[in-house]
Amino acid sequence: GSVCAKLNLWIKCPKFITTPQHLSIHKQHLERLRADKEAYMASEFIGTVNHLETIEYALETIIERLEAL
């Protein structure tokens, strides 16, 4: 496919597939996002606040589902 214009948009793509072996990567991603959240929101580096919160929620959901496997 083509490269997404916004960072982290892949996480909402219906074609995105992940496995439990990537659980630690998703957890690290969420930790980094939360650690730098204020800076990201101030600069809109990742996008709007709504986009940032959508990505955070998607990561939480992915992690929860992978941990349940």
Side-chain angles (χ1 to χ4, degrees):
S2 60
V3 176
C4 294
K6 284 193 172 187
L7 292 172
N8 297 301
L9 200 54
W10 55 268
I11 210 160
K12 293 175 37 180
C13 180
K15 296 179 182 179
F16 174 68
I17 297 172
T18 191
T19 64
Q21 80 182 62
H22 297 100
L23 182 59
S24 64
I25 294 169
H26 297 305
K27 286 183 175 183
Q28 291 169 10
H29 187 175
L30 182 58
E31 287 175 22
R32 283 191 314 273
L33 186 71
R34 287 179 172 160
D36 297 330
K37 190 174 185 174
E38 287 185 35
Y40 290 147
M41 288 192 305
S43 68
E44 291 191 357
F45 176 72
I46 291 182
T48 64
V49 172
N50 183 52
H51 180 71
L52 185 64
E53 289 172 349
T54 299
I55 298 305
E56 185 175 13
Y57 176 75
L59 280 167
E60 291 169 347
T61 302
I62 288 168
I63 291 167
E64 182 181 301
R65 291 178 180 173
L66 289 176
E67 287 178 334
L69 292 177

